[in-house]
Amino acid sequence: PTQWDKEVDVLVVGSGAGAMASALFASDRGARTLIVEKSDLYGGTSATSGGGVWIPASDSALEQGQQDSPDEAFTYIKELVGNTVADGRIRAFVENARVMKREIEARSDLRFTAIPYTDYQAEKPGGKMGYRSHACNTIHADDLSPEDFATLRTTHKSAMLFGKIPWTIMESAPMITRGPGWKGTMARVLWRYYGDIAQRLKSPRSRFIVFGSAIAAHLKNALNRSGGELWLRTALVELLRGPDGAIEGAIVAREGKQMRIRTRKGVILGAGGFERNQAMRDKYLPGDSRETFSASQENNTGDAIQAGMRIGAATDLMDEAWWAPTVRVPGEDTARPLFYERALPGCIIVNQAGERYMNEARSYDIAGKAMIDADRPDARSIPSWIIFDARFRKKYPMGPIIPLLPDFLQSPAARKAWRKASTVAGLARKIGVDPERLERTISRVNRFANTGLDEDFGRGSAPYDRYYGDQSVQPNPNLAPLDQPPFYALEVYPGDIGTKGGLATDEAARVLDMTGQPIAGLYAIGNTAASVMGPSYPGAGSTLAPAMTFGMLAVQDMLEAK
Ligand code: FAD
């Protein structure tokens, strides 16, 4: 007979938003619940994220007078994914995302508010100009136990002011393009940070917690209250199937020691994707795909996907990721995604032949994928260069570079990352691009900036392009000439914010075997599961919302199963 070191009802692997929500749902229903988290921090990449959650037709959107329905969201997703995803899973998501929101709000202090953030392909049938993406409420360190604050993973540098000062979504938007009221907002954000003198003397880390980190913090508090447990530094090693094929437990490594955990109800795998596993990237992802291009934290090495495959689970979409153009900053352990910078007027992306090859203002997944698709031996687009002039440099943020501050006050890492020259030809020589070709590309763009029409790639023509345009720039808020020296360039990679291929699941998040049958007691959510969004990215929050929704459905199925 098997010797067990511990027995629980539900074992949850990983502590991203979906995993934590699942554990809360299970624990709240009286199931003995344990989360095992490999790293010494909880929250996963979810906690580093912008915390946007895409929930169609939520109560918050409807209360704000918006028209939306699960049917319209189904139409939209279906339009984007074609036949790559089973209709039943899409239905399960669009019907239940808003239920998930209510159920989480009923069990925690987490709140989601619909915001006017444009769907990434709003021009498609069923797309919306806003109010499907939701922002979450913030939380202060004083509302967490000291230990839970110390072990909470923090916001990604790219999602904070100057790489270290947290702000909310509604505060960041006017500051990025310096829209009305930006000065007052800036003063408030700076005061909140520097005014916390006791903390500033101790640490650069803010006690004001925002975005995905706030989601993790709220869920941790609620999990504590419900009696759920979370073990840090504990990694899933193997899944154990009983004689009848059902999952009966797992082997985990806890601080170097192996333990066998028996699960009476089942296991939910929420251990992220394989973006930080170079061998898996080489095997599955297209193009020259480096682990260092990823903006995700280092623990997502595909462990749970591989453990599932070893016991016979099927996989899907393994060649897909949540793509994003990224830049590397010397000394930082993850890449920085360029979520919005590309859309601001006065920058362009060129390949190594000095040619543009895309509408730079499209959503990051489309732009990232375009970088891979455009890669040719005679005109490499991996890596590419993002090029901007002094006017852009002073006015807008770009990766690690801070607007308004003169060059000599920029961080040494930012100055190491950029190439800079007083002429376009000089810059071209520094980045190894044909000077005449780059000059031609830029004068063509400068002409488009005057007419307002990007004749080559239609930059500024789609609603989402314009979301991050600078409305004070006319005739096209996404286009300005690059004509003020000096000129700058940063190397850009087709990176990601997580992979999206993984274990094949059904509409209750049950993991399927090679014959399409569910493996009893095994569930997968988040980037451990093949995404319900197929190869698409409908809007901000398309990764976190399904992770939490399918977490809820997994728990329902598991605790209601006979
Ligand atoms: P994670 O949140 O990464 O959680 C996985 C956890 O599993 C990790 O803590 C990891 O340590 C742990 N783990 C790994 N292996 C094991 C093992 N063997 N045993 C135990 N634990 C293990 N998405 C949105 O929807 N909205 C946004 O606003 C958004 N903004 C983003 C901003 C940035 C800067 C980045 C980088 C990403 C953003 N994303 C956003 C993407 C999103 O963060 C990820 O797609 C999502 O967090 C993945 O969730 P997950 O639960 O699958 O994985």
Side-chain angles (χ1 to χ4, degrees):
T2 314
Q3 290 294 306
W4 299 103
D5 298 298
K6 181 165 176 96
E7 196 166 313
V8 295
D9 293 316
V10 179
L11 177 68
V12 178
V13 181
S15 64
M20 301 265 290
S22 313
L24 172 60
F25 286 127
S27 177
D28 187 69
R29 293 172 71 145
R32 205 153 161 196
T33 306
L34 171 67
I35 294 185
V36 291
E37 165 54 55
K38 171 172 154 183
S39 101
D40 47 11
L41 302 175
Y42 67 94
T45 302
S46 305
T48 74
S49 81
V53 185
W54 197 78
I55 306 168
S58 78
D59 48 8
S60 170
L62 305 182
E63 278 157 19
Q64 294 180 68
Q66 302 301 313
Q67 302 288 322
D68 195 5
S69 65
D71 279 345
E72 285 177 272
F74 179 86
T75 303
Y76 177 54
I77 298 178
K78 188 73 190 157
E79 172 80 17
L80 300 183
V81 307
N83 289 323
T84 58
V85 180
D87 285 2
R89 290 180 67 214
I90 305 174
R91 277 268 169 234
F93 171 69
V94 297
E95 302 283 352
N96 287 291
R98 56 189 187 165
V99 180
M100 171 277 291
K101 171 184 185 297
R102 285 200 305 270
E103 297 286 314
I104 285 185
E105 290 177 343
R107 286 167 179 77
S108 71
D109 299 324
L110 185 54
R111 295 291 176 270
F112 300 105
T113 306
I115 55 172
Y117 201 96
T118 307
D119 279 351
Y120 291 169
Q121 298 193 60
E123 66 281 8
K124 295 272 166 81
K128 292 279 171 192
M129 292 299 288
Y131 299 94
R132 280 176 174 161
S133 295
H134 290 60
C136 66
N137 55 335
T138 62
I139 178 172
H140 194 271
D142 287 347
D143 297 323
L144 280 174
S145 75
E147 198 198 336
D148 282 348
F149 179 58
T151 53
L152 169 64
R153 194 174 283 284
T154 56
T155 307
H156 196 283
K157 281 180 185 298
S158 67
M160 292 192 282
L161 178 65
F162 307 154
K164 66 177 180 189
I165 304 180
W167 50 6
T168 65
I169 268 239
M170 294 327 266
E171 286 167 345
S172 66
M175 274 197 273
I176 287 169
T177 54
R178 289 200 258 150
W182 76 271
K183 283 184 184 153
T185 308
M186 174 77 101
R188 186 168 71 243
V189 170
L190 293 178
W191 172 248
R192 193 166 55 214
Y193 182 77
Y194 289 106
D196 187 2
I197 293 165
Q199 175 73 3
R200 287 297 67 77
L201 293 172
K202 275 195 287 194
S203 156
R205 183 174 172 198
S206 176
R207 299 197 300 154
F208 179 69
I209 303 165
V210 300
F211 299 161
S213 206
I215 295 181
H218 282 298
L219 291 176
K220 183 64 170 63
N221 271 346
L223 183 68
N224 294 346
R225 286 198 294 266
S226 74
E229 260 188 289
L230 189 158
W231 289 356
L232 296 173
R233 292 178 290 281
T234 308
L236 169 76
V237 179
E238 292 297 348
L239 294 163
L240 301 171
R241 283 182 96 163
D244 61 352
I247 293 294
E248 57 175 16
I251 301 178
V252 302
R254 188 177 196 202
E255 305 189 18
K257 255 187 38 212
Q258 292 220 339
M259 289 179 71
R260 299 169 78 87
I261 299 181
R262 177 165 183 236
T263 54
R264 284 185 290 254
K265 296 288 184 186
V267 177
I268 300 179
L269 302 174
F274 60 85
E275 60 272 10
R276 299 301 297 260
N277 180 324
Q278 186 59 47
M280 287 181 82
R281 292 184 82 100
D282 289 342
K283 181 159 181 195
Y284 297 111
L285 296 186
D288 176 13
S289 172
R290 305 276 100 206
E291 181 239 332
T292 50
F293 298 172
S294 180
S296 184
Q297 45 76 36
E298 66 196 357
N299 297 286
N300 292 3
T301 47
D303 306 357
I305 297 174
Q306 289 180 312
M309 289 166 77
R310 282 194 294 271
I311 60 144
T315 56
D316 198 11
L317 299 173
M318 291 296 279
D319 56 349
E320 287 290 343
W322 306 98
W323 306 111
T326 58
V327 295
R328 292 280 325 173
V329 179
E332 293 184 3
D333 54 7
T334 76
R336 292 199 187 205
L338 298 180
F339 285 134
Y340 55 82
E341 292 92 329
R342 298 165 287 106
L344 295 165
C347 73
I348 55 168
I349 291 179
V350 298
N351 61 20
Q352 293 176 30
E355 295 158 347
R356 284 176 77 215
Y357 55 91
M358 66 158 132
N359 168 1
E360 297 90 343
R362 306 264 355 230
S363 66
Y364 37 93
D365 70 308
I366 294 177
K369 188 66 190 339
M371 294 184 68
I372 296 170
D373 292 344
D375 196 41
R376 304 194 313 258
D378 59 327
R380 299 293 313 266
S381 54
I382 309 176
S384 292
W385 295 95
I386 190 157
I387 297 189
F388 45 102
D389 71 345
R391 183 195 296 115
F392 184 107
R393 156 66 198 84
K394 286 191 197 118
K395 201 163 176 199
Y396 311 115
M398 172 59 77
I401 306 169
I402 299 168
L404 297 174
L405 288 189
D407 283 6
F408 71 93
L409 284 182
Q410 300 290 334
S411 72
R415 281 183 287 150
K416 218 188 253 177
W418 77 42
R419 308 280 193 284
K420 177 179 163 187
S422 53
T423 62
V424 169
L427 185 70
R429 279 188 287 274
K430 285 197 172 160
I431 61 176
V433 164
D434 174 34
E436 273 175 36
R437 190 73 200 84
L438 187 63
E439 279 175 337
R440 272 209 305 279
T441 298
I442 288 183
S443 44
R444 193 167 165 81
V445 168
N446 292 354
R447 182 164 67 73
F448 297 163
N450 281 332
T451 61
L453 194 66
D454 173 4
E455 292 165 27
D456 295 335
F457 302 103
R459 176 162 162 175
S461 59
Y464 183 70
D465 295 9
R466 293 191 290 272
Y467 185 81
Y468 280 117
D470 181 342
Q471 302 312 322
S472 70
V473 171
Q474 291 301 329
N476 183 331
N478 298 101
L479 283 178
L482 287 75
D483 57 7
Q484 293 197 2
F487 299 90
Y488 301 80
L490 284 175
E491 206 165 38
V492 193
Y493 312 99
D496 61 82
I497 56 171
T499 50
K500 63 158 60 149
L503 303 179
T505 56
D506 68 5
E507 62 285 348
R510 299 184 297 183
V511 173
L512 304 176
D513 67 15
M514 298 295 188
T515 66
Q517 291 304 307
I519 298 174
L522 188 62
Y523 300 78
I525 59 170
N527 294 345
T528 301
S531 175
V532 67
M533 301 305 183
S536 81
Y537 206 138
S542 298
T543 89
L544 296 179
M548 293 191 280
T549 305
F550 284 107
M552 177 185 79
L553 296 174
V555 169
Q556 280 170 9
D557 186 80
M558 187 184 290
L559 298 186
E560 280 153 28
K562 296 286 160 310

